[in-house]
Amino acid sequence: MGSYRNRLTKEEKALMEETNKGIRGNENIIKILHSPGNKTIDVPEKCRPGLHTPVPAGFFLDDVWTSFVCNIRHFTLQTTTKCLKDKHIYMMGDSTMRQWFEFFVKTIPTLKQMNLHVQYNAGPLMAVDVENNIDLHWRAHGFPFRTLKTAVASLHYISNEIDDLAGGPHTIIMLNLGPHFTTYPLDFFTLRVLRIRKALLALLQRAPDTTVIIKTVNTGYKDIFGSDWYSLQLNRVLRWAFQDMDVYILDVWQMTACHYSKENIHPGPIIIKNEIDVLLSFICPA
């Protein structure tokens, strides 16, 4: 894993830590009145590839995300299992994608994680639900990747993994790239994304009924080596590369930016649950 060189003085480092500060305002300036109507806003559009993501893309109310993009369903254990039944799910990315893997393993009691005898943070990880015919995989996105000592052979590039998949109506591919690339030039990241685009184009040509979901980068990175400003540039490249393809772009940028919980590159359980609701609404639209 190595480490970063300290490029900051003690005074500069103190400035970088000035975040997650509550801002006290005059509560009399804005007065919010109770409305007896429905707490949610109905968006009739079904979740499908190619939808525009407005700003704002939605809002949190009572810790539930309401989307302005498409009609988001809120899933229970039973509906989650039903949605994923008979699916081969391949997750490729970083630890923020691994949070989704961990959510499913904790939420679905029939989904059992296998012990593959690997370094956990780097994976690969696998869980199987024999009863509902679900197999769930998570794999790190390859170099660059900051982790503890692990087998180099386990770090596969996403484009190579996609090339090895047949695809089809029972296959779901989820991928993301982000924080591990903030210490590299943007051209380096762009080249990696374009290689993945080429692999996905070939996949969707041989198996157009494959479900592909691109997760954007989270906010919450406050460091000289990886700030939200760097992450925003990566997000723009991701959107540009996949905007004309038959894939879902799951925008978590605004979801992680506007929640009241403390900023963290790894969002808390409330945000993850809402991300999963959006994810499953793509896979099983209303």
Side-chain angles (χ1 to χ4, degrees):
M1 186 169 181
S3 60
Y4 292 127
R5 291 182 182 179
N6 180 21
R7 296 294 187 181
L8 300 177
T9 65
K10 184 185 297 185
E11 292 75 15
E12 289 170 335
K13 189 174 182 180
L15 291 175
M16 295 295 295
E17 294 171 351
E18 287 296 316
T19 185
N20 291 314
K21 300 291 185 180
I23 300 175
R24 297 187 63 84
N26 188 337
E27 61 185 16
N28 296 321
I29 294 178
I30 300 175
K31 191 173 184 180
I32 301 174
L33 301 176
H34 173 73
S35 172
N38 193 343
K39 287 187 176 182
T40 61
I41 296 176
D42 294 328
V43 180
E45 182 82 66
K46 285 188 176 182
C47 295
R48 57 176 177 79
L51 291 177
H52 172 67
T53 303
V55 179
F59 62 89
F60 279 105
L61 179 62
D62 296 333
D63 285 334
V64 175
W65 177 256
T66 295
S67 174
F68 293 151
V69 178
C70 59
N71 187 9
I72 300 301
R73 300 172 59 191
H74 301 291
F75 288 77
T76 63
L77 167 61
Q78 289 73 24
T79 54
T80 297
T81 305
K82 182 179 178 181
C83 181
L84 299 181
K85 185 178 176 66
D86 295 322
K87 295 292 192 298
H88 309 297
I89 305 164
Y90 298 92
M91 298 178 170
M92 293 170 269
D94 56 35
S95 54
T96 63
M97 177 67 72
R98 193 178 68 234
Q99 286 184 280
W100 288 4
F101 176 93
E102 293 164 344
F103 176 90
F104 286 128
V105 171
K106 291 178 182 178
T107 303
I108 304 175
T110 50
L111 190 62
K112 304 299 182 183
Q113 185 171 345
M114 307 288 289
N115 183 359
L116 300 183
H117 306 286
V118 295
Q119 201 280 319
Y120 181 82
N121 290 340
L125 306 178
M126 179 179 179
V128 176
D129 183 344
V130 176
E131 181 179 331
N132 295 288
N133 197 30
I134 302 169
D135 57 277
L136 180 66
H137 309 261
W138 174 84
R139 179 179 287 280
H141 56 53
F143 297 116
F145 193 75
R146 296 183 295 275
T147 184
L148 300 176
K149 185 177 180 181
T150 190
V152 174
S154 294
L155 297 176
H156 297 183
Y157 291 113
I158 291 178
S159 55
N160 293 342
E161 284 292 302
I162 293 172
D163 286 338
D164 289 338
L165 296 176
H170 297 286
T171 300
I172 301 172
I173 297 174
M174 310 172 192
L175 61 93
N176 84 306
L177 297 167
H180 295 268
F181 290 83
T182 56
T183 47
Y184 291 81
L186 194 58
D187 288 347
F188 178 84
F189 178 76
T190 303
L191 180 61
R192 180 68 59 85
V193 170
L194 290 178
R195 285 176 175 167
I196 294 172
R197 172 189 165 87
K198 182 179 179 180
L200 285 176
L201 284 172
L203 170 69
L204 293 173
Q205 186 174 19
R206 65 179 177 266
D209 46 4
T210 307
T211 300
V212 179
I213 298 164
I214 313 291
K215 173 185 170 294
T216 66
V217 187
N218 298 348
T219 59
Y221 212 159
K222 299 293 186 292
D223 187 89
I224 188 174
F225 298 108
S227 69
D228 284 347
W229 172 249
Y230 294 146
S231 299
L232 179 61
Q233 314 314 312
L234 306 185
N235 252 359
R236 288 173 172 170
V237 171
L238 277 175
R239 287 193 163 279
W240 164 76
F242 299 111
Q243 62 184 342
D244 61 341
M245 293 182 59
D246 192 24
V247 300
Y248 296 96
I249 298 180
L250 201 167
D251 190 334
V252 299
W253 182 269
Q254 297 184 56
M255 294 178 71
T256 55
C258 71
H259 195 264
Y260 63 81
S261 58
K262 189 174 182 179
E263 290 179 318
N264 194 325
I265 192 64
H266 299 107
I270 294 172
I271 297 178
I272 294 297
K273 172 62 173 72
N274 282 279
E275 289 179 358
I276 295 296
D277 280 343
V278 179
L279 170 70
L280 295 176
S281 295
F282 286 166
I283 300 170
C284 302

